Amino acid sequence: MKRGKWLAGAALAMMLAVPATPAMAGTTAELLKRLHEKGILTDEEYQALLTQEGTEVATSPAAAPAQAAAASLDDKRIVRMTDSGIGMEVGGVTVKMSGSVNGFYVHDNGQAPGPNTAVVGGVVPIGGNASAIRNGLLPGFLKFDFTTTQGGWDVGAHFGMYPGINSVNYAAGGGANSPGFPAALQTAGIDFRQTYLTIGRKGFGEVKMGRDIGLFGSEGILNDITLLSVGSTGGNVAPSNTSLGRIGAGYIYTDFQPQITYSTPNLSGFQASVGVFQPLQSLTGPGETGSAPGFQAKVVYDGKFGDISTRVWLSAITQKHDRVDGASYTGSGFDTGAKIGIGPLSVMGYYYKGSGLGTTALNLFDTDAFGDKRDSEGFYLQGLATFGKFSVGGSYGQSTLDYANTADALANPTLVDKNSSYVGQVRYGLTSWVTLISEYIRTKSEAHNGNEAKADTVAAGAILFF
């Protein structure tokens, strides 16, 4: 007889030597269950012994209260299922997984090359019509969260991988989000955006250290209806891991950045965050000898007044830059907005303004050649109505960039003046995981000298979250 069977038999013999009582079946079943959970009994041995003793747990009236009592007292179980999400508790550590996958057919009726279509910093690609099977503004993602409580502190480790479906060209620069290369024998890229730890406790708040989404501009993209779809393509002939959505036509991309950030506890709907960030070099400058740390902060209020829900925010960013040519400047900016829900309708307004901050991406076209700052601003307005499984939404937004001075205007006549877009969207909730989306986008880029480029885009596909 196997060791497990011998131990089980010995335990059963001791139990059965006691005079039978109405609770006997439940007690024996619980013992077998414990032996099975600890790995002493195999699945086959466990079922065989249950059958032999006539103690099928699921059908024994006496077993139910005994099992319930034992389960409530058993706080040393090694593995438990989590209350929500896909995951489990292992030895006091909660392990959770979440993810997303999306794919869209996108046709871009882009701007054909012409004598007055050049816009430096425009978001409309020049080249004419193009079709693609591609990711939208989000690539796919797979996130792992490991959380526990130790010494009175809630601690966690968080990892987020963001793989796209489109082939990338690493030689072009930009890593996993480089320009696409749709040819045979290529591979998609994996953007490892998130690697951070959290430390917090009730009444203290939370400290985050590592790489995660920024504070400035985060509300702009996280509340954008094109986050789940495509928006402006940013290029459809050779798509990269992501489209632009409304980036550059309503807000500056927040980005995922190395940081140490503290967030307060939620105080009657108010929560504030402040962080020190890895300084970012200008994307269009001559290079930098060194920079002071970047600083970002955000305040959010969430409230509910009867049937009306509100979310209001204000965030700010600043960083000093020291260029290799001896010039220095401080880029700074703020954004603010509000989102209001009334029954099936959600409406939102967003605005940002910056100086030496750039447009589309942080520190892109932020200064002229001599380090003089350019001012920028933008906004978007958005509405979304939901009726059962159907949602219908639309938005308009724009981003503008000013010259630093007259010399800048003379040297850069085709610099972008304004990027703008209209978006119309229809969603259908096929299942709790899958949403079908179709979309129309009209994007326009205008230069200071009057050049312009336009694109009409249609997209249809689906996004899945779990």
Side-chain angles (χ1 to χ4, degrees):
M1 181 180 290
K2 294 181 179 179
R3 178 175 175 270
K5 242 179 181 177
W6 184 86
L7 287 172
L12 281 171
M14 293 177 64
M15 294 296 297
L16 294 174
V18 181
T21 68
M24 193 64 225
T27 306
T28 304
E30 185 59 27
L31 173 63
L32 292 174
K33 179 173 177 288
R34 295 288 187 89
L35 294 172
H36 178 239
E37 287 177 342
K38 294 179 182 298
I40 297 173
L41 293 178
T42 66
D43 291 343
E44 293 80 6
E45 291 169 346
Y46 176 53
Q47 291 299 330
L49 287 168
L50 282 177
T51 301
Q52 290 172 18
E53 300 303 323
T55 55
E56 293 291 347
V57 177
T59 59
S60 173
Q67 277 187 269
S72 66
L73 294 173
D74 186 7
D75 60 354
K76 297 181 180 179
R77 283 183 289 172
I78 301 300
V79 178
R80 301 171 185 244
M81 296 303 294
T82 54
D83 294 333
S84 63
I86 298 178
M88 59 185 176
E89 292 182 18
V90 183
V93 177
T94 300
V95 181
K96 282 193 178 182
M97 294 186 299
S98 59
S100 178
V101 182
N102 72 80
F104 294 90
Y105 170 80
V106 180
H107 180 76
D108 204 7
N109 185 10
Q111 182 71 57
N116 301 308
T117 59
V119 182
V120 176
V123 296
V124 175
I126 305 300
N129 297 345
S131 295
I133 306 298
R134 62 174 298 165
N135 280 123
L137 178 52
L138 276 176
F141 66 76
L142 181 61
K143 297 168 64 176
F144 296 89
D145 297 282
F146 305 85
T147 56
T148 189
T149 300
Q150 297 177 342
W153 291 92
D154 298 325
V155 299
H158 311 266
F159 305 90
M161 299 178 288
Y162 290 71
I165 67 172
N166 298 102
S167 300
V168 297
N169 181 5
Y170 288 100
N177 294 321
S178 68
F181 187 47
L185 307 179
Q186 306 305 307
T187 62
I190 298 178
D191 177 0
F192 217 125
R193 298 185 184 184
Q194 294 173 301
T195 309
Y196 64 94
L197 65 89
T198 51
I199 305 170
R201 68 192 308 171
K202 186 177 180 180
F204 169 80
E206 183 179 84
V207 175
K208 173 166 55 180
M209 303 180 191
R211 186 184 186 96
D212 195 23
I213 196 169
L215 299 177
F216 170 80
S218 59
E219 296 293 328
I221 190 169
L222 293 177
N223 291 286
D224 178 11
I225 59 173
T226 71
L227 181 64
L228 305 187
S229 55
V230 177
S232 299
T233 65
N236 207 43
V237 174
S240 65
N241 267 5
T242 69
S243 63
L244 284 178
R246 187 166 283 294
I247 296 172
Y251 53 81
I252 296 174
Y253 179 48
T254 179
D255 221 325
F256 286 73
Q257 307 168 54
Q259 61 188 275
I260 300 175
T261 298
Y262 166 73
S263 296
T264 68
N266 189 304
L267 304 171
S268 301
F270 287 93
Q271 187 169 37
S273 300
V274 61
V276 56
F277 285 69
Q278 165 67 33
L280 301 178
Q281 295 190 14
S282 172
L283 287 165
T284 47
E288 300 182 13
T289 58
S291 299
F295 296 95
Q296 298 185 30
K298 181 170 73 170
V299 179
V300 177
Y301 171 72
D302 285 300
K304 193 167 180 64
F305 307 92
D307 295 332
I308 301 174
S309 63
T310 62
R311 182 175 178 86
V312 183
W313 63 87
L314 173 68
S315 73
I317 183 173
T318 186
Q319 182 193 318
K320 185 175 183 292
H321 300 259
D322 297 313
R323 296 170 30 132
V324 294
D325 60 5
S328 64
Y329 66 97
T330 298
S332 59
F334 74 91
D335 73 350
T336 186
K339 186 176 183 179
I340 300 173
I342 308 174
L345 181 64
S346 171
V347 295
M348 175 183 162
Y350 174 87
Y351 173 79
Y352 77 90
K353 187 172 181 61
S355 180
L357 201 62
T359 188
T360 305
L362 291 170
N363 310 122
L364 177 65
F365 303 113
D366 50 353
T367 71
D368 67 3
F370 303 100
D372 295 318
K373 295 188 291 186
R374 293 168 173 155
D375 292 339
S376 58
E377 66 179 335
F379 72 90
Y380 75 90
L381 302 172
Q382 173 180 284
L384 183 69
T386 300
F387 306 97
K389 292 189 173 185
F390 282 96
S391 296
V392 179
S395 66
Y396 171 80
Q398 65 179 47
S399 292
T400 60
L401 182 68
D402 296 335
Y403 283 126
N405 46 47
T406 303
D408 188 18
L410 294 173
N412 302 286
T414 60
L415 181 69
V416 64
D417 177 27
K418 180 170 69 174
N419 288 316
S420 61
S421 71
Y422 291 91
V423 175
Q425 186 183 100
V426 178
R427 304 178 185 174
Y428 177 73
L430 184 67
T431 73
S432 61
W433 283 21
V434 179
T435 301
L436 307 181
I437 303 176
S438 61
E439 193 173 55
Y440 166 77
I441 309 98
R442 178 71 183 273
T443 310
K444 185 177 181 180
S445 294
E446 303 169 67
H448 282 275
N449 71 346
N451 285 3
E452 65 177 39
K454 303 175 183 177
D456 293 287
T457 306
V458 291
I463 187 166
L464 176 153
F465 290 96
F466 68 86

